[in-house]
């Protein structure tokens, strides 16, 4: 079973029968975001993704389910953030700018996903006026190692 099918099969088995429809969505250019219902920055990030022209569906889940999804996708605690998305066989963890997602999809890199660990101020969904942290979007490779995909100042 390849990594893409492993992620989707693992998710489907972990969160119920409704998840069985997800493989078609996640593989067809449709982004699916898993978040908790009370997270405002997650909703703001979903809006950012939609404004960039990506097709996105948000699914509210409880925190335990969200941690299970992250675990099955091999997103370690040090790489995690508040929401997890899947698109075209990749995971997108946290406040990754839409431009980075679009670049990943256009370059079709041999990786499992992108992450912006934590919740840097000024990242999409975490805007706070003119305040801005520098942060990196990390490319997560199949062996779990990471490399800087894009730096944001």
């Amino acid at each position: 079973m390849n990594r893409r099918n492993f992620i989707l099969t693992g998710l489907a088995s972990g969160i119920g029968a409704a998840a069985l429809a997800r493989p078609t969505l996640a593989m067809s250019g449709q982004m699916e975001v898993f978040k908790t219902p009370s997270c405002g920055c997650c909703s703001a990030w979903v809006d950012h993704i939609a404004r960039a022209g990506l097709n996105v569906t948000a699914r509210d889940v409880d925190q335990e389910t969200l941690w299970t999804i992250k675990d099955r996708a091999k997103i370690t605690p040090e790489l995690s953030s508040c929401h997890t998305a899947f698109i075209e066989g990749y995971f997108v963890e946290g406040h990754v700018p839409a431009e980075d997602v679009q670049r990943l999809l256009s370059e079709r890199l041999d990786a499992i996903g992108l992450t912006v660990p934590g919740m840097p101020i000024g990242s999409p969904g975490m805007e706070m006026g003119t305040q801005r942290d520098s942060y990196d979007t990390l490319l997560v490779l199949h062996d779990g190692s990471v490399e800087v995909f894009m730096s944001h100042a």
Side-chain angles (χ1 to χ4, degrees), residues 7-142:
I7 289 171
L8 297 170
T9 301
L11 289 174
S13 66
I15 64 173
L20 295 176
R22 254 197 308 287
T24 301
L25 294 175
M27 300 307 295
S28 67
Q30 172 77 29
M31 178 182 281
E32 189 158 26
V33 181
F34 295 90
K35 65 181 199 59
T36 58
S38 61
C39 188
C41 67
C42 295
S43 296
W45 183 79
V46 169
D47 292 343
H48 163 78
I49 292 297
R51 282 191 310 272
L54 291 164
N55 294 321
V56 61
T57 301
R59 306 242 187 248
D60 288 336
V61 297
D62 62 59
Q63 189 63 57
E64 184 177 329
T65 300
L66 186 58
W67 283 114
T68 299
I69 290 168
K70 291 173 190 301
D71 185 57
R72 290 193 175 157
K74 305 297 185 209
I75 300 168
T76 62
E78 55 273 3
L79 296 178
S80 71
S81 184
C82 53
H83 55 269
T84 303
F86 297 92
I87 187 169
E88 295 187 19
Y90 296 107
F91 70 74
V92 179
E93 177 71 6
H95 296 271
V96 176
E99 312 82 64
D100 294 357
V101 175
Q102 291 165 328
R103 178 180 157 210
L104 175 69
L105 296 176
S106 70
E107 294 181 10
R108 303 302 307 165
L109 298 173
D110 187 22
I112 60 173
L114 293 176
T115 183
V116 170
M119 299 166 67
I121 295 172
S123 62
M126 289 296 297
E127 295 88 355
M128 295 186 177
T130 60
Q131 191 175 357
R132 189 166 178 86
D133 293 336
S134 294
Y135 66 93
D136 293 326
T137 298
L138 304 175
L139 181 69
V140 182
L141 304 175
H142 292 280

